[in-house]
Amino acid sequence: MTTTTGTLSIGEVSDRTGLSVHALRYYEREGLLVGPVHRTSGGRRRYSALDVDWLLICVKLRESGMPLAELKRFAALVRRGPGNEAERLHLLDTHRRRVDAQIAALEECRSVITWKVGIYADHLARGEANGLWDPTA
């Protein structure tokens, strides 16, 4: 449950980000967050809306294949504050170009698969599927 201070528990952040509690602890330990995680007097982690927003960006960067080392570098640059925006831009642009290349490669793969699906569907519809890629023929 969210407290009146507007902070979230680790379980709530896990629900909102899709990251496991274990992954959240790992992100904190590895310096992937842009600020310190606050704790209650009992030692329980409390996250802000800014923490959640940052983690959602991290999730997308990791899902798109950004290496952990680059994500750490990006987080460190953000933590340092203004003055390194060109470095951040370079890091993100390099990653975007990698993602663009992956998308292009996947589109090429999809094109080949679509072509093969068409061949099989056509042969099956005509009742001429025997012998399609038959290694015993």
Side-chain angles (χ1 to χ4, degrees):
M1 171 177 232
T2 303
T3 66
T4 56
T5 62
T7 61
L8 303 166
S9 71
I10 196 168
E12 290 169 319
V13 173
S14 175
D15 290 343
R16 290 182 186 204
T17 63
L19 292 168
S20 69
V21 168
H22 176 75
L24 288 167
R25 289 182 184 126
Y26 176 79
Y27 271 42
E28 180 183 357
R29 198 170 48 251
E30 292 298 313
L32 294 169
L33 300 174
V34 291
V37 175
H38 299 286
R39 295 183 182 257
T40 65
S41 58
R44 294 187 180 269
R45 289 171 175 84
R46 299 304 299 178
Y47 295 85
S48 69
L50 181 65
D51 294 325
V52 173
D53 290 344
W54 173 256
L55 286 164
L56 290 170
I57 291 168
C58 290
V59 165
K60 291 304 177 192
L61 291 173
R62 288 293 292 146
E63 283 179 357
S64 63
M66 180 178 270
L68 201 52
E70 286 183 23
L71 184 55
K72 283 183 183 183
R73 177 78 181 131
F74 185 54
L77 290 168
V78 171
R79 269 194 307 277
R80 279 193 214 143
N84 58 34
E85 292 81 3
E87 235 180 309
R88 295 183 212 178
L89 173 61
H90 176 72
L91 197 150
L92 290 171
D93 190 50
T94 299
H95 181 62
R96 182 188 51 82
R97 282 186 268 121
R98 268 195 314 262
V99 170
D100 288 345
Q102 291 170 345
I103 290 169
L106 285 171
E107 286 174 343
E108 188 177 325
C109 292
R110 182 178 55 198
S111 177
V112 170
I113 293 166
T114 299
W115 170 68
K116 285 306 290 177
V117 165
I119 289 172
Y120 275 78
D122 183 53
H123 277 80
L124 285 170
R126 291 191 324 234
E128 300 173 2
N130 277 350
L132 271 176
W133 288 78
D134 183 355
T136 62

